[in-house]
């Protein structure tokens, strides 16, 4: 079927050298002699393992085994490649490096690649298009930024990125007619567009990514989607700070850069851009 696969466990044959592992798919297709050597050399060069062609596969690190599996998958120029969670057996730092290399290899090969993963960062970094599945059914598909900015369901909002789910009753803005979600004591102006059907209690849900709300030390008067708030908890995550904020709608998480760190208990102003509040099922 001209389909090649990289397994989660790599499935490198322990009794073969690096060269023979990569050559296997070519041999069973009748490639021999100089043509075989050239194609194996090219595949190993693509993954940076040319110098290890004669090494026993048992003498490779996890990252090197993964590269051998990739070279073997691409060596015979298949029509499509399936990668089944190929980075899950690597440590965190190597996984970050290898996903960038995977993207480069895929571009060099120019082949359709289906990449199966439960890691949302891998999906966002590697993919041109993402298909999110739930219990064997497609929940949503689209480009990475589209999936991130406009999730259609609570499941997608929670699965890709970090999101706050706002629940309340839907009304219309008295002047613009845009949708407004009454969340606790807050009235949240939402992005334009049709809302899914409400639940049994007549409540609607909207998602807002933790990266989109902003916190300010100065109050913004009566501007839309501005509320007085208070920092309940603060978590320093290196390059990011995550705040849990009390506001008239309850509690909300806000992600910010550590350039101007706010103190726990500090009074602030919370702003949520209306176009970033999207309805979800």
């Amino acid at each position: 079927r001209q389909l090649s696969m990289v397994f989660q466990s790599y499935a490198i044959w322990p009794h073969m050298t690096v060269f023979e592992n990569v050559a296997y798919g070519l041999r069973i297709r009748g490639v021999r002699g100089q043509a075989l050597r050239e194609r194996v050399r090219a595949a190993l060069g693509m993954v940076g393992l040319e110098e290890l062609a004669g090494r026993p596969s048992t003498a490779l690190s996890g990252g090197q085994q993964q590269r051998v599996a990739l070279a073997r998958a691409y060596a015979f120029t298949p029509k499509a490649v399936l990668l089944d969670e190929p980075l899950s057996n690597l440590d965190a730092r190597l996984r970050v490096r290898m996903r960038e290399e995977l993207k480069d290899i895929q571009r060099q090969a120019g082949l359709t690649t289906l990449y199966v993963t439960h890691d949302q960062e891998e999906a966002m970094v590697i993919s041109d298009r993402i298909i999110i599945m739930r219990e064997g059914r497609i929940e949503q598909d689209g480009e990475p930024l589209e999936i991130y900015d406009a999730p259609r369901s609570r499941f997608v909002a929670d699965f890709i990125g970090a999101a706050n789910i706002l629940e309340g009753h839907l009304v219309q803005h008295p002047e613009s007619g845009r949708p407004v979600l009454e969340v606790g004591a807050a009235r949240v102006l939402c992005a334009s567009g049709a809302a899914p059907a409400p639940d049994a209690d007549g409540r609607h849900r909207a998602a807002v990514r933790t990266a989109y709300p902003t916190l300010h030390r100065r109050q913004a008067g009566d501007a839309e989607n501005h509320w007085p708030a208070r920092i309940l908890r603060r978590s320093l995550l290196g390059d990011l700070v995550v705040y849990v904020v009390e506001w008239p709608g309850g509690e909300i998480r806000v992600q910010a850069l550590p350039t101007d760190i706010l103190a726990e208990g500090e009074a602030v102003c919370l702003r949520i851009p209306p176009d970033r509040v999207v309805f979800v099922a």
Side-chain angles (χ1 to χ4, degrees), residues 104-149:
D104 291 340
I105 290 168
Q106 195 277 332
R107 286 174 175 171
Q108 288 179 50
L111 299 175
T112 298
T113 302
L114 180 62
Y115 189 103
V116 180
T117 181
H118 63 270
D119 188 310
Q120 57 173 315
E121 288 188 7
E122 283 181 18
M124 295 293 288
V125 169
I126 292 175
S127 302
D128 299 309
R129 180 184 177 198
I130 295 175
I131 299 174
I132 298 176
M133 301 192 71
R134 182 185 186 189
E135 298 179 354
R137 303 179 68 179
I138 294 176
E139 190 84 4
Q140 186 172 347
D141 69 279
E143 296 181 359
L145 193 57
E146 176 190 348
I147 297 286
Y148 184 83
D149 278 342

Side-chain angles (χ1 to χ4, degrees), residues 46-113:
M46 184 173 64
V47 297
L49 291 181
E50 258 186 302
E51 296 180 357
L52 302 183
R55 179 172 294 187
S57 58
T58 53
L60 300 175
S61 67
Q64 289 169 337
Q65 289 186 52
Q66 192 243 27
R67 287 187 176 94
V68 172
L70 286 169
R72 181 177 59 185
Y74 284 104
F76 67 88
T77 317
K79 291 182 178 179
V81 180
L82 170 63
L83 292 90
D84 181 15
E85 300 193 47
L87 307 184
S88 61
N89 290 328
L90 304 179
D91 62 62
R93 182 171 295 183
L94 183 57
R95 192 158 57 240
V96 171
R97 191 178 78 199
M98 287 306 301
R99 70 190 185 196
E100 296 290 344
E101 293 186 9
L102 265 174
K103 192 170 185 177
D104 291 340
I105 290 168
Q106 195 277 332
R107 286 174 175 171
Q108 288 179 50
L111 299 175
T112 298
T113 302

Side-chain angles (χ1 to χ4, degrees), residues 156-235:
V156 174
D158 288 336
F159 189 77
I160 295 290
N164 297 287
I165 304 298
L166 309 179
E167 295 187 356
H169 294 284
L170 183 63
V171 296
Q172 285 189 329
H173 192 281
E175 297 176 3
S176 66
R178 290 182 60 177
V180 173
L181 196 63
E182 294 182 335
V183 183
R187 292 171 59 88
V188 183
L189 186 64
C190 304
S192 299
D199 61 19
D201 297 324
R203 298 169 66 85
H204 286 81
R205 295 189 185 93
V208 55
R209 296 292 182 191
T210 58
Y212 291 145
T214 54
L215 301 171
H216 310 271
R217 285 193 166 92
R218 290 186 177 182
Q219 300 297 322
D222 296 327
E224 296 284 6
N225 281 17
H226 285 73
W227 302 271
R230 182 172 65 91
I231 307 296
L232 293 179
R233 294 185 298 279
R234 180 188 70 191
S235 300

